[in-house]
């Protein structure tokens, strides 16, 4: 059973198609999910010693914190773990266990090993992610950076991982929230959270704090406004 479900996703490009559910400090995986029965046990549990347990702080890859969001793109499952780390698992998932190896981990600039960089000056990008979605057309991973009230587009996340477009900030220094005092950021968010695309490629951002508060709104950004502008990663669409 679930204890702390933070999201789910599917991967239907293989047979059998897989279902992924985040649950506290583990990722649950079902094979051939279209044909499973009610209460059927999971096939794999990633991040735990076994699929029958959900220990706290057990030293697994997710370091005792919740998995916040999941989405599929580019043949990978993208999982936020610990907020300042994003795991990319090559699909399909083929096993489980406490230390199942991801294909790559994106580290925030708050880490010495930070490996996400600004596209203009190549310095490290700090972030605390609370939502993500992958754009297969541009090979870009969008993340909501709740600590800095912004949304980041990470180009080529499996490769060079550079942030080439930002929503909610006119520059790197303006990290205040939209509703903050005494100096609110008029272009910003107030705790951006879940992200998703519609079938036309427009991006939706849920801008609301946990259990209410903040701006309590959802914003749509048109896909036409995401055309790269060389040398300008803060276009403020």
């Amino acid at each position: 059973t679930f204890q702390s479900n933070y999201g789910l996703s599917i991967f239907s490009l293989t047979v059998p198609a897989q279902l992924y559910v985040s649950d506290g400090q583990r990722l649950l995986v079902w094979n051939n999910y279209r044909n499973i029965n009610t209460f059927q046990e999971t096939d794999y549990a990633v991040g735990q010693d076994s699929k029958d347990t959900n220990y706290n702080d057990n030293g697994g890859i997710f370091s005792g914190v919740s998995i916040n969001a999941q989405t599929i793109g580019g043949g990978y499952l993208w999982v936020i773990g610990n907020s300042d780390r994003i795991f990319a698992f090559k699909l399909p998932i083929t096993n489980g266990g406490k230390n199942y190896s991801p294909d790559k981990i994106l580290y925030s600039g708050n880490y010495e090993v930070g490996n996400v960089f600004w596209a203009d000056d190549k310095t490290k990008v700090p972030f605390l992610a609370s939502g993500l979605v992958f754009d297969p057309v541009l090979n870009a991973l969008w993340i909501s950076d709740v600590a800095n009230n912004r949304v980041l587009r990470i180009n080529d996340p499996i490769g060079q991982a550079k942030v080439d477009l930002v929503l909610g900030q006119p520059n790197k220094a303006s990290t205040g929230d939209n509703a903050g005092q005494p100096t609110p950021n008029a272009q910003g968010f107030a705790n951006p959270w879940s992200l998703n695309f519609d079938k036309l490629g427009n991006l939706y951002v849920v801008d609301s704090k946990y259990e209410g508060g903040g701006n309590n709104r959802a914003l749509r950004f048109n896909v036409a406004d995401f055309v790269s502008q060389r040398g300008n990663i803060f276009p403020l669409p």
Side-chain angles (χ1 to χ4, degrees):
T1 58
F2 305 149
Q3 290 202 123
S4 187
N5 175 22
Y6 278 81
L8 57 83
S9 194
I10 62 172
F11 185 63
S12 57
L13 297 181
T14 61
V15 178
Q18 286 188 325
L19 167 69
Y20 315 99
V21 176
S22 64
D23 180 36
Q25 299 152 60
R26 61 184 182 178
L27 176 68
L28 304 178
V29 183
W30 281 267
N31 290 323
N32 200 15
Y33 75 93
R34 293 186 180 94
N35 297 317
I36 60 178
N37 300 315
T38 302
F39 297 124
Q40 182 166 322
E41 68 176 71
T42 183
D43 291 286
Y44 311 123
V46 176
Q48 293 287 303
D49 294 286
S50 78
K51 57 188 178 183
D52 299 317
T53 55
N54 194 1
Y55 294 121
N56 292 325
D57 304 311
N58 76 327
I61 59 174
F62 298 123
S63 297
V65 297
S66 295
I67 302 165
N68 296 339
Q70 303 167 33
T71 193
I72 288 172
Y76 294 90
L77 180 69
W78 298 95
V79 177
I80 298 172
N82 210 33
S83 295
D84 48 9
R85 294 179 300 157
I86 299 173
F87 296 78
F89 293 99
K90 187 68 176 175
L91 296 178
I93 301 291
T94 57
N95 211 324
K98 185 165 67 175
N99 295 303
Y100 186 87
S101 296
D103 194 74
K104 184 171 183 177
I105 303 175
L106 296 176
Y107 290 95
S108 164
N110 295 324
Y111 282 92
E112 183 178 347
V113 293
N115 59 355
V116 179
F117 302 94
W118 294 109
D120 53 1
D121 62 13
K122 309 303 186 292
T123 57
K124 296 178 181 179
V125 180
F127 61 80
L128 287 177
S130 60
L132 51 74
V133 66
F134 183 80
D135 181 350
V137 176
L138 297 178
N139 183 29
L141 181 69
W142 292 84
I143 67 171
S144 54
D145 178 7
V146 65
N148 297 293
N149 302 292
R150 63 192 178 189
V151 173
L152 308 174
R153 185 176 73 184
I154 304 174
N155 185 269
D156 190 20
I158 293 295
Q160 298 300 313
K162 292 184 173 60
V163 172
D164 64 352
L165 193 144
V166 179
L167 304 179
Q169 284 183 266
N171 53 63
K172 295 171 188 173
S174 299
T175 60
D177 69 63
N178 178 265
Q181 296 296 332
T183 56
N185 172 14
Q187 296 89 8
F189 303 100
N191 207 312
W193 178 44
S194 182
L195 307 176
N196 217 332
F197 291 112
D198 63 21
K199 63 182 180 180
L200 301 177
N202 303 309
L203 178 69
Y204 291 77
V205 180
V206 175
D207 184 27
S208 176
K209 290 184 179 178
Y210 176 67
E211 291 188 342
N215 283 321
N216 291 316
R217 64 185 183 180
L219 306 175
R220 189 187 83 180
F221 293 88
N222 292 334
V223 64
D225 295 327
F226 297 148
V227 177
S228 295
Q229 303 178 31
R230 185 174 180 85
N232 179 19
I233 60 178
F234 300 94
L236 289 179

